[in-house]
């Protein structure tokens, strides 16, 4: 279910037998984050996404964590993607493209985004550790794939270098946030940035 409000903000809820998730996005907010997924490390990463993305983000998630974190993390990506897609509307007057290199000590990550209306995710950021706290590190790719697919945008994430798994994933989330911030920024023109006249 989507709740529409004025401006570039949306609230989307999604309930299944595995998860119950509500996500609110305000692309023109003040980078305020209220995150509660039950997965501490993931909460930290989503907070980074909002802080460095420059948008308000509220995520309330209840999932079958007694099974494992997979359903909760992936479904948060789905709902966040849906909320972003709805908040962008027709995508008129946005930069469309965004990119960022972000270092985190020895780690360096690059993200490139095209808010094209077409989903694609390339993720190449291997880590050594299988878990960080209560977070399975392979879920990082699953989250971003779900986010890009349901947000309907091209997402390319590459790890340039890195050793520490925490540093690597943090650099990835920060670079994704900065790239999204650039791509979603308004240009002051009310035109759709495509020779087709639409983004899909």
């Amino acid at each position: 279910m989507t709740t529409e409000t004025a401006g570039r903000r949306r609230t989307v809820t999604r309930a299944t037998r595995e998860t119950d998730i509500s996500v609110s996005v305000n692309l023109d907010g003040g980078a305020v984050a209220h995150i509660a997924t039950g997965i501490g490390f993931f909460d930290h990463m989503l907070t980074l996404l909002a802080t460095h993305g420059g948008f308000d983000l509220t995520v309330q998630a209840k999932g079958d964590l007694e099974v494992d974190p997979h359903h909760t993390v992936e479904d948060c990506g789905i709902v966040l993607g849906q909320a972003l897609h709805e908040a962008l509307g027709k995508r008129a007057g946005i930069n469309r493209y965004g990119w960022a290199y972000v270092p985190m000590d020895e780690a360096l990550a690059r993200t490139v985004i095209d808010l094209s209306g077409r989903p694609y995710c390339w993720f190449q950021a291997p880590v050594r550790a299988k878990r960080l706290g209560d977070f399975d590190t392979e879920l990082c790719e699953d989250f971003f794939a779900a986010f890009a697919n349901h947000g309907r945008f091209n997402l390319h994430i590459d790890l340039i270098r890195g050793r520490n798994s925490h540093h690597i994933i943090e650099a990835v989330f920060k670079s994704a946030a900065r790239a999204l911030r650039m791509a979603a920024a308004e240009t002051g023109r009310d035109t759709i940035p495509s020779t087709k006249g639409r983004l899909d």
Side-chain angles (χ1 to χ4, degrees), residues 144-163:
F144 280 110
F147 185 27
N149 286 335
H150 291 269
R152 303 185 193 180
F153 62 94
N154 271 212
L155 174 66
H156 290 255
I157 293 174
D158 290 281
L159 176 68
I160 307 302
R161 64 182 64 91
R163 176 193 58 79

Side-chain angles (χ1 to χ4, degrees), residues 14-21 61-64 69-73 75-76 79:
R14 180 178 188 266
T16 71
R17 293 180 180 176
E18 298 168 341
T19 61
D20 187 351
I21 297 170
K62 294 181 180 179
D64 54 357
H70 182 275
H71 297 143
T72 300
V73 172
D75 287 5
C76 281
V79 183

Side-chain angles (χ1 to χ4, degrees), residues 11-48:
T11 296
V12 176
T13 59
R14 180 178 188 266
T16 71
R17 293 180 180 176
E18 298 168 341
T19 61
D20 187 351
I21 297 170
S22 175
V23 172
S24 295
V25 169
N26 179 2
L27 295 178
D28 302 311
V32 176
H34 299 286
I35 314 295
T37 68
I39 308 166
F41 183 81
F42 188 46
D43 287 358
H44 179 40
M45 294 301 106
L46 291 179
T47 300
L48 292 175

